[in-house]
Amino acid sequence: AASSQMTPPVAGWKIPWDGPLRTTLVLEKVQTAVQTGPVTIAANPNMVRGREILQATQKAVEDATTPAKESLTQAAAMHANYTSLEGIKTAEALLGPRMQALGQAMKVVMDNQKIAPFEIRGTLAQLGNNLRLMQTQVSTEMGKLRMSKVKAENDKKMEE
């Protein structure tokens, strides 16, 4: 029976329109959050959990990337353009633990992407991309340090 209501019926759907009645398709009214001031998240448990996941992930990424950036700057000063063998060794020792911390933060990102509500997965993916970029920078610097260390050690042996 046709209806003149402005909302779709809850049940009684036929898909396609001339097909059999689908009893498994039922529409439910979704409560929408009405903002009445500075409230930014509805009291939706899924969104609250999503915010918690996002905040924890952001903290894990920041706790790994901030020291890694600082260590990259310190390492550059230590190795004196890759000419000081002691500086190279010190820089390498400084950056090694940063790679481990970045790897652990990436595990947090990946684990949280699996359990996060759909709405924040894109943000988590971006955090993962930023983290991968930092991992690449530290890894590249570690590679340069290793090559420079071998060269400096060989040069030192040649002098002896």
Side-chain angles (χ1 to χ4, degrees):
S3 171
S4 60
Q5 293 182 345
M6 296 299 290
T7 58
V10 173
W13 288 88
K14 294 181 179 183
I15 301 175
W17 67 272
D18 60 348
L21 186 66
R22 282 268 181 104
T23 58
T24 57
L25 179 64
V26 179
L27 297 184
E28 294 179 12
K29 185 174 183 175
V30 176
Q31 289 281 29
T32 56
V34 177
Q35 257 185 312
T36 57
V39 177
T40 56
I41 293 184
N44 177 337
N46 196 37
M47 289 302 292
V48 171
R49 178 72 181 131
R51 183 179 184 112
E52 291 168 356
I53 290 169
L54 180 58
Q55 287 173 339
T57 307
Q58 287 170 327
K59 181 172 180 354
V61 169
E62 185 176 324
D63 288 351
T65 56
T66 300
K69 288 176 188 176
E70 293 168 0
S71 294
L72 281 170
T73 302
Q74 292 170 354
M78 289 175 184
H79 63 63
N81 207 22
Y82 305 100
T83 57
S84 165
L85 181 56
E86 287 307 310
I88 290 169
K89 288 179 180 179
T90 305
E92 192 175 31
L94 178 68
L95 290 177
R98 300 302 174 221
M99 281 302 293
Q100 292 173 350
L102 291 167
Q104 290 169 345
M106 183 57 78
K107 183 177 180 342
V108 169
V109 171
M110 301 306 277
D111 289 347
N112 284 348
Q113 277 183 313
K114 293 175 189 173
I115 63 169
F118 178 77
E119 297 81 8
I120 67 163
R121 288 186 186 164
T123 304
L124 294 177
Q126 184 60 46
L127 285 171
N129 290 339
N130 295 343
L131 192 55
R132 268 189 282 287
L133 179 61
M134 181 55 60
Q135 283 179 310
T136 300
Q137 290 173 347
V138 173
S139 179
T140 299
E141 186 63 21
M142 290 288 289
K144 289 178 183 178
L145 289 168
R146 286 186 191 112
M147 289 189 319
S148 299
K149 183 171 78 173
V150 169
K151 182 182 182 307
E153 287 172 341
N154 288 339
D155 290 348
K156 187 175 179 180
K157 287 179 185 176
M158 297 295 276
E159 290 174 5
E160 294 173 354

